[in-house]
């Protein structure tokens, strides 16, 4: 395993911790973080239930925090790590924010807009494209989601 792959796995483990924290409070377990020059500049997890906000996905909250920290809506030179393939809203926000690279864990066949249903993050028609690495710790990311939804069904 190369150095990049090791770093990707380490950051994805941190995103998984954030996802686990979301599950504990009843949120869909998705965690995201943004890294620039080897430093985590933003970290977030889903907060839709807590904030009663349909846009409070982990990726959007991390993008907002990174923009505030850097003092710019443009986030060049950053990598966004997220445990689940981003939806259309989040993939679109990444393009708009000029994020350089996306690393995600589990594919989302129901609403994934990076590879599963659409290819928004690297669509040649858009003015910015991200470098994409898919499937990092995908089994761990998928398992956390599977357990969360199984538990939800069992409690009904």
């Amino acid at each position: 395993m190369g150095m990049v792959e090791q770093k990707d796995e380490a950051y994805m483990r941190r995103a998984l911790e954030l996802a686990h924290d979301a599950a504990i409070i009843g949120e869909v377990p998705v965690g995201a973080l943004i890294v620039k020059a080897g430093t985590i500049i933003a970290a977030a997890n889903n907060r839709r239930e807590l904030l009663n906000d349909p846009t409070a996905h982990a990726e959007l909250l991390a993008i907002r925090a990174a923009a505030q920290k850097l003092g710019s809506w443009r986030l060049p030179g950053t990598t966004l790590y997220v445990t689940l393939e981003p939806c259309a809203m989040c993939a679109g926000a990444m393009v708009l924010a000029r994020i350089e690279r996306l690393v995600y864990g589990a594919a989302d066949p129901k609403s994934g807009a990076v590879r599963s249903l659409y290819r928004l993050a690297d669509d040649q028609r858009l003015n910015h494209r991200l470098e994409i690495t898919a499937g990092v710790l995908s089994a761990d990311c998928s398992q956390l989601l599977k357990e969360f939804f199984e538990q939800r069904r069992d409690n009904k």
Side-chain angles (χ1 to χ4, degrees):
M1 183 182 301
M3 192 68 133
V4 171
E5 291 87 359
Q6 285 179 332
K7 286 183 179 177
D8 285 350
E9 283 196 8
Y11 288 126
M12 190 60 73
R13 288 192 197 292
R14 176 66 186 116
L16 271 163
E17 290 172 9
L18 292 163
H20 185 266
D21 292 346
I24 290 170
I25 61 170
E27 295 280 354
V28 174
V30 177
L33 49 96
I34 297 179
V35 175
K36 184 169 182 154
T39 301
I40 297 172
I41 61 169
N45 51 25
N46 272 355
R47 297 285 169 154
R48 288 185 310 175
E49 303 297 331
L50 188 70
L51 300 175
N52 292 314
D53 180 352
T55 71
H57 289 199
E59 301 97 315
L60 282 188
L61 296 175
I63 288 168
R64 289 174 189 152
Q68 290 300 306
K69 181 166 183 108
L70 297 179
S72 174
W73 61 266
R74 293 177 187 91
L75 303 175
T78 60
T79 299
L80 189 147
Y81 291 86
V82 63
T83 55
L84 181 64
E85 179 183 2
C87 70
M89 174 181 67
C90 293
M94 290 174 211
V95 169
L96 293 173
R98 314 295 197 270
I99 289 171
E100 185 174 311
R101 183 169 177 247
L102 165 65
V103 179
Y104 71 87
D108 185 351
K110 292 182 179 173
S111 63
V114 175
R115 289 290 181 264
S116 296
L117 299 178
Y118 307 102
R119 296 183 71 101
L120 285 177
D122 60 354
D123 189 311
Q124 295 296 314
R125 297 168 294 180
L126 299 176
N127 66 338
H128 176 75
R129 285 166 290 290
L130 285 73
E131 177 188 330
I132 297 162
T133 302
V136 175
L137 299 180
S138 62
D140 294 342
C141 296
S142 294
Q143 185 63 29
L144 183 58
L145 286 157
K146 182 179 177 219
E147 289 172 2
F148 175 80
F149 287 112
E150 284 175 354
Q151 186 177 35
R152 294 278 295 255
R153 281 192 294 275
D154 291 347
N155 290 338
K156 285 190 174 186

